Amino acid sequence: MQKKIVLACTQCLSRNYQTNKNTQKSDRLEVRKFCKRCNEHALHRETK
């Protein structure tokens, strides 16, 4: 089953992306994505 999550930039803390995640995984998702506010690629983490 999939669950909707929100990804937030670790540098500026803006919530830029939404995606789906498998609910069987318990660890938080971390992805390097482009942040519009920072204007560079940065690490984005799953928020609560």
Side-chain angles (χ1 to χ4, degrees), residues 2-43:
Q2 297 288 320
K3 180 181 177 185
K4 285 189 180 179
I5 59 167
V6 177
L7 299 176
C9 179
T10 56
Q11 294 178 356
C12 66
L13 302 177
S14 64
R15 296 177 180 201
N16 299 327
Y17 294 98
Q18 293 180 353
T19 186
N20 293 327
K21 176 184 161 182
N22 188 352
T23 56
Q24 293 178 348
K25 289 189 174 184
S26 62
D27 55 339
R28 286 198 176 179
L29 187 64
E30 292 183 349
V31 184
R32 253 181 92 79
K33 289 192 159 283
F34 184 79
C35 180
K36 296 176 191 175
R37 189 182 236 187
C38 299
N39 201 24
E40 63 183 27
H41 282 83
L43 186 66

